[in-house]
């Protein structure tokens, strides 16, 4: 059995490693367009911010370690430029080997998604950078380390934008964060995100909401940014983080079905419409676990799980993917914000009736030192079924959202939250955990 894997990071590397565990004899070849495989995308902002100090720590696996550990033939600097599903072969453009064809029995596509770079005047300035991989990280870090960056404008208040704003600030850079929507971090509702925005401002990042970029202009030593409001900003460096689009251009002629925005369409086995071609990760449309509509959720957890499921199916196990909840978390200076399931905006858009409650419990027993309040919001159906949750606070938010995410995954209700027996001693929680409290109030 000969299996080709396109893309060597989250989804691709998971699929390849799982397949090897299931099938000792399969020939597995992994193609990666860039120089690096299996790196820690999620750690990149923290390396730029120097919380993660050693660059090698970002490189989880190397081609050599994948060969030694899993007997996988990793080919870096090798881009798959087309896929012929009839003849079952791919065309590869390699730095060292030029163009060549490779046949397959099975393919796993995990090409991910790249940063959106819209056609805006001046966008090609070399001071405007995006962040996806190690070379992008090296460029941004080189600017900050060696080229006297005193000011930066981050365009886009999503997860990557907010993390970059914090990490540049950590490096002593003067940062402005520009968001076109009324608030940052789209997965959260306005009431929850207000605390995040205050934290951003309190940490002296200038926050501009409801304003997008109209144009850029290179200056002698910097770049001028004109916003839609005609407000002008000046910076030594611009980070563009306004979202991602699937990296699926090479599939245009393949006959593989793509969605409206270019995401690969798959079934619950991660199979595309083409025989023996599977797809996973940021490049695919998934089913929203709560509302069952198709959506795209570019997160590492789902990509890894889908990679494993694609490998299972290639090995003959009939494993299925049951949808993405979008459970996510972000550190914003001293705060943590986390969410799972649907937010109010999504439910309203789909006309799904819901109720919400919000509680403000302490993260642990209030008489034990350091008990800080959190905000926990629960979104549930008329019958009490959990549809989503969001939390923000300085401590203990991650575990509460993870617990609720688990109950949501298992189809649970607000009554189930009241019945959960969670660990308690004063330094960690209260006899009525914040999750129980949310359940009591919702019931
Ligand atoms: P990727 O990991 O992007 O891998 C795709 C690979 O395929 C790329 O290396 C690309 O070069 C290669 N490729 C593309 N086309 C071809 C081709 N034609 N031929 C050969 N190779 C090709 N998610 C979280 O859940 N939590 C986080 O904290 C988090 N932080 C993030 C921070 C940053 C800065 C970024 C950029 C992302 C972050 N993510 C986070 C998202 C997470 O990294 C992605 O969801 C995940 O990596 C997706 O995996 P993937 O395999 O689909 O794509």
């Amino acid at each position: 059995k000969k299996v080709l894997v396109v893309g060597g990071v989250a989804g691709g590397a998971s699929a390849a490693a799982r397949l090897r565990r299931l099938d000792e004899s399969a020939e597995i070849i992994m193609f990666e367009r860039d120089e690096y495989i299996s790196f820690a995308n999620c750690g990149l902002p923290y390396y730029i911010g120097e919380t993660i100090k050693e660059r090698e720590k970002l490189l989880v696996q190397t081609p050599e370690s994948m060969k030694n550990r899993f007997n996988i033939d990793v080919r870096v600097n090798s881009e798959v430029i087309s896929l012929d599903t009839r003849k079952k072969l791919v065309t590869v453009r390699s730095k060292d080997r030029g163009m060549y064809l490779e046949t397959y029995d099975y393919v796993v596509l995990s090409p991910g998604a790249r940063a959106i770079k819209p056609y805006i005047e001046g966008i090609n300035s070399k001071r405007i950078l995006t962040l996806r991989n190690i070379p992008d990280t090296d460029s941004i870090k080189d600017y900050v380390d060696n080229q006297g960056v005193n000011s930066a404008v981050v365009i886009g208040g999503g997860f990557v934008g907010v993390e970059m704003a914090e990490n540049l600030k950590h490096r002593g850079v003067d940062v402005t964060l520009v968001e076109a929507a009324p608030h940052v971090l789209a997965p959260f509702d306005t009431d929850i995100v207000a605390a995040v925005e205050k934290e951003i401002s309190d940490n002296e990042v200038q926050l501009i909401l409801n304003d997008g970029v109209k144009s850029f202009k290179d200056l002698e030593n910097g770049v001028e940014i004109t916003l839609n409001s005609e407000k002008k900003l000046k910076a030594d460096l611009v980070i563009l983080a306004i979202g991602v689009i699937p990296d699926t251009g090479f599939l245009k002629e393949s006959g593989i079905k793509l969605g409206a925005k270019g995401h690969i369409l798959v079934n619950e086995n991660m199979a595309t419409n083409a025989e023996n071609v599977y797809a996973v990760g940021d490049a695919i449309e998934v089913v929203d676990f709560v509302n069952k509509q198709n959506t795209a959720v570019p997160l590492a957890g789902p990509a890894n799980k889908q990679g494993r499921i694609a490998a299972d199916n290639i090995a003959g196990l009939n494993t299925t993917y049951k949808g993405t909840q979008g459970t996510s978390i972000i550190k914003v200076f001293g705060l943590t914000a986390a969410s799972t399931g649907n937010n109010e905006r999504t439910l309203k858009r789909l006309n799904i009736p819901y109720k919400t409650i919000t509680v403000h419990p302490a993260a642990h027993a209030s008489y034990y030192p350091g008990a800080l309040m959190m905000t926990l919001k629960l979104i549930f159906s008329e019958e009490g079924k959990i549809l989503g949750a969001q939390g923000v606070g300085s401590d203990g938010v991650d575990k509460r959202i993870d617990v609720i995410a688990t109950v949501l995954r298992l189809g649970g209700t607000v009554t189930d939250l009241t019945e959960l027996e969670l660990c308690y001693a004063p330094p960690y929680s209260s006899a009525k955990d914040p999750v129980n409290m949310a359940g009591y109030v919702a019931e």
Side-chain angles (χ1 to χ4, degrees), residues 84-295:
D84 186 331
T85 53
R86 242 175 354 100
K87 294 191 187 140
K88 290 213 167 90
L89 53 83
V90 301
T91 308
V92 184
R93 184 166 55 206
S94 151
K95 234 183 188 170
D96 317 321
R97 295 170 56 179
M99 298 268 247
Y100 62 93
L101 303 176
E102 197 69 62
T103 58
Y104 66 80
D105 297 316
Y106 293 88
V107 181
V108 179
L109 302 170
S110 190
R114 62 191 154 82
I116 295 174
K117 230 177 157 184
Y119 297 105
I120 294 178
E121 191 186 324
I123 189 95
N124 290 324
S125 162
K126 62 183 195 339
R127 288 175 183 273
I128 302 175
L129 300 176
T130 56
L131 176 61
R132 175 181 184 185
N133 53 29
I134 300 273
D136 298 341
T137 307
D138 290 339
S139 308
I140 297 173
K141 192 152 188 302
D142 178 57
Y143 253 101
V144 181
D145 290 351
N146 306 318
Q147 303 191 38
V149 170
N150 293 316
S151 58
V153 170
V154 177
I155 316 281
F159 285 71
V160 174
V162 171
E163 288 183 353
M164 278 310 299
E166 175 174 343
N167 279 288
L168 288 169
K169 189 75 201 171
H170 200 225
R171 296 294 311 274
V173 177
D174 214 356
V175 184
T176 302
L177 179 61
V178 177
E179 168 58 57
H183 71 70
V184 299
L185 299 180
F188 295 88
D189 289 321
T190 314
D191 48 345
I192 294 291
V193 98
V196 171
E197 289 170 353
K198 181 170 181 306
E199 183 74 4
I200 291 172
S201 303
D202 287 352
N203 281 279
E204 288 162 6
V205 169
Q206 196 198 342
L207 186 58
I208 299 177
L209 299 170
N210 285 307
D211 213 349
V213 178
K214 193 168 167 192
S215 64
F216 297 102
K217 193 167 111 192
D218 261 328
L219 304 172
E220 205 172 307
N221 50 10
V223 51
E224 182 182 77
I225 304 109
T226 305
L227 302 182
N228 289 330
S229 63
E230 297 301 334
K231 189 180 169 91
K232 287 189 195 303
L233 305 169
K234 234 193 86 185
D236 299 325
L237 177 68
V238 172
I239 304 292
L240 193 66
I242 57 171
V244 293
I245 46 166
D247 223 339
T248 53
F250 69 108
L251 298 174
K252 285 235 167 74
E253 312 290 316
S254 68
I256 288 176
K257 282 198 183 129
L258 304 179
K261 293 184 180 160
H263 295 92
I264 304 165
L265 302 182
V266 294
N267 67 12
E268 60 179 7
N269 302 118
M270 315 315 301
T272 69
N273 61 305
E275 194 188 1
N276 292 356
V277 179
Y278 292 78
V280 303
D282 289 2
I284 66 163
E285 276 189 17
V286 292
V287 173
D288 182 296
F289 184 80
V290 175
N291 63 48
K292 309 299 176 206
Q293 305 287 310
N294 267 26
T295 182

Side-chain angles (χ1 to χ4, degrees), residues 290-410:
V290 175
N291 63 48
K292 309 299 176 206
Q293 305 287 310
N294 267 26
T295 182
V297 184
L299 288 172
N304 279 281
K305 291 180 183 69
Q306 293 154 10
R308 185 182 164 94
I309 290 171
D312 281 0
N313 281 282
I314 290 171
L317 305 174
N318 184 28
T319 319
T320 57
Y321 186 68
K322 299 182 183 67
T324 299
Q325 268 167 262
T327 307
S328 57
I329 188 161
I330 184 167
K331 172 183 176 301
V332 188
F333 295 97
L335 283 186
T336 300
S339 78
T340 188
N342 284 180
N343 60 20
E344 288 197 58
R345 214 171 324 110
T346 303
L347 294 168
K348 272 193 194 120
R349 178 169 52 81
L350 298 172
N351 282 323
I352 298 174
Y354 66 90
K355 293 186 195 170
T356 74
I357 60 98
T358 301
V359 290
H360 303 280
H364 60 249
S366 54
Y367 55 81
Y368 186 89
L372 298 167
M373 279 220 317
M374 70 172 78
T375 299
L376 198 55
K377 172 174 173 175
L378 199 60
I379 306 178
F380 50 99
S381 72
E382 314 258 311
E383 300 78 39
K385 193 167 178 200
I386 295 164
L387 304 174
Q390 299 166 40
V392 62
S394 308
D395 183 30
V397 171
D398 52 344
K399 85 164 165 176
R400 274 57 188 228
I401 294 298
D402 273 346
V403 168
I404 299 173
T406 308
V407 175
L408 191 161
R409 179 57 66 165
L410 300 175

